[in-house]
Amino acid sequence: MTTSPNFLVIGECVADVVRADGAPDRVHPGGSPANVAYGLARLGRPATLLTQLADDAHGRLIRMHLEGAGVVVRAETVARTPSAVVELDGDGRAQYAFDIGWTLGAAEVPDAPGYVHLGSIAAVTSPGAETVLGIVERLRGRASVSYDPNVRPALMGERAVAVRRVERCVALSHVVKASDEDLAWLYPGEAPESVARHWLGLGPAVVVVTLGAAGAVALGADGAREEVAARPVRVADTVGAGDSFMAALLHARAAGTPLAVCLAHAVTAAAVTVSRPGANPPSSAELAAALGSGSLSRQPR
């Protein structure tokens, strides 16, 4: 497998304070774009994260986590590292309460990335979102752009404004991934595949919708439609599952893998992640092992 060209991921880091009944709080490095960069590095892809961090305990934890996997961290200094209290229900599903701002200013961009990924809070939150979109607009003619809205309703503001911001990002992208929950908030009452077709009309080559326990479906601008079932797994929690899916999808596409196989890799990576606590995506060896097995059991962190 070639490890070039590089991935540039732009977006927030967040310290996830995971809280469940009867258990002490656990702090995990998080933030959707940071998780994608980490997941790519774990799969052997050179990844640079353009972000914001403070020189505080959470910031040092996140930097050590990312750099330990091989991510190159280019961080603008802020006063406080963003955080989120993550409440888990009895099925391990996560709800988030954020303490975050996004103010990324003029940023030095690594030379000639082959892939650029944006998403989540950093793609739609002013004033930093304008910096992000400006970078993407400059690079999209010579890099493949991917986007995951990773909708956080508490931070999205008025729905109509949020939809316009999200659709601007979709129109800049070649590959888009969203969950059925993202689409339900953005477009209430519309079927996920109907929204995916609408998004294809804005410009992407591929739109992928994750469907939780029902798997995932991908639509291509060339008329292709691929669907894959979820992998059976005992869930520890769902933190980072969508980001792990995204990283594995991008990893497989960068290798020229057919779309149906990309989906199989992505749902398998997500299954490994939900089988253990926190946003803990698989390494290339773990993903290969999981792809070769018929089912997944809980794996240690």
Side-chain angles (χ1 to χ4, degrees), residues 7 9 31-47 65-66 69 71 240 243-251 269 273 279-284 287:
F7 282 82
V9 181
S32 178
N35 291 341
V36 172
Y38 183 80
L40 286 165
R42 291 270 288 164
L43 293 171
R45 295 287 175 183
H65 167 77
L66 291 166
V71 178
D243 304 323
S244 182
F245 182 104
M246 187 87 236
L249 176 71
L250 296 176
H251 167 69
T273 301
N280 186 11
S283 66
S284 54
L287 180 58

Side-chain angles (χ1 to χ4, degrees), residues 3 11 190 254:
T3 58
E190 295 194 31

Side-chain angles (χ1 to χ4, degrees), residues 233-241 269-278 280 298:
V233 61
R234 193 173 87 179
V235 176
D237 66 49
T238 62
V239 177
V272 172
T273 301
V274 303
S275 74
R276 54 198 187 186
N280 186 11
R298 185 189 294 264

Side-chain angles (χ1 to χ4, degrees), residues 52-269:
Q52 294 184 306
L53 282 172
D55 184 17
D56 55 18
H58 286 163
R60 290 188 291 272
L61 172 69
I62 291 170
R63 182 182 288 275
M64 183 171 63
H65 167 77
L66 291 166
E67 292 180 344
V71 178
V72 176
V73 180
R74 295 195 176 186
E76 183 180 76
T77 301
V78 290
R80 184 177 70 256
T81 298
S83 62
V85 174
V86 185
E87 299 274 1
L88 300 178
D89 66 16
D91 295 320
R93 291 188 294 263
Q95 297 292 327
Y96 296 81
F98 289 94
D99 177 10
I100 186 169
W102 179 250
T103 58
L104 187 70
E108 180 183 351
V109 177
D111 293 335
Y115 302 87
V116 179
H117 177 73
L118 72 157
S120 196
I121 298 163
V124 296
T125 301
S126 296
E130 294 307 313
T131 300
V132 175
L133 296 180
I135 292 170
V136 173
E137 287 168 346
R138 293 197 303 272
L139 294 177
R140 76 177 304 274
R142 55 187 189 272
S144 177
V145 178
S146 56
Y147 171 58
D148 176 4
N150 191 43
V151 170
R152 301 304 186 201
L155 302 175
M156 298 296 286
E158 183 184 349
R159 193 189 315 271
V161 174
V163 169
R164 288 196 295 271
R165 290 174 174 171
V166 166
E167 290 189 351
R168 181 183 175 190
C169 296
V170 170
L172 287 170
S173 302
H174 302 96
V175 178
V176 177
K177 189 276 288 183
S179 71
D180 53 354
E181 292 180 348
D182 293 336
L183 301 186
W185 188 86
L186 291 166
Y187 306 92
E190 295 194 31
E193 287 197 38
S194 175
V195 177
R197 292 189 185 93
H198 166 62
W199 280 4
L200 283 174
L202 300 178
V206 175
V207 176
V208 179
V209 181
T210 59
L211 304 168
V217 61
L219 302 180
D222 59 359
R225 182 187 185 280
E226 301 289 351
E227 189 171 359
V228 64
R231 294 292 297 269
V233 61
R234 193 173 87 179
V235 176
D237 66 49
T238 62
V239 177
D243 304 323
S244 182
F245 182 104
M246 187 87 236
L249 176 71
L250 296 176
H251 167 69
R253 280 186 61 83
T257 306
L259 183 56
V261 180
C262 290
L263 287 183
H265 282 224
V267 296
T268 301

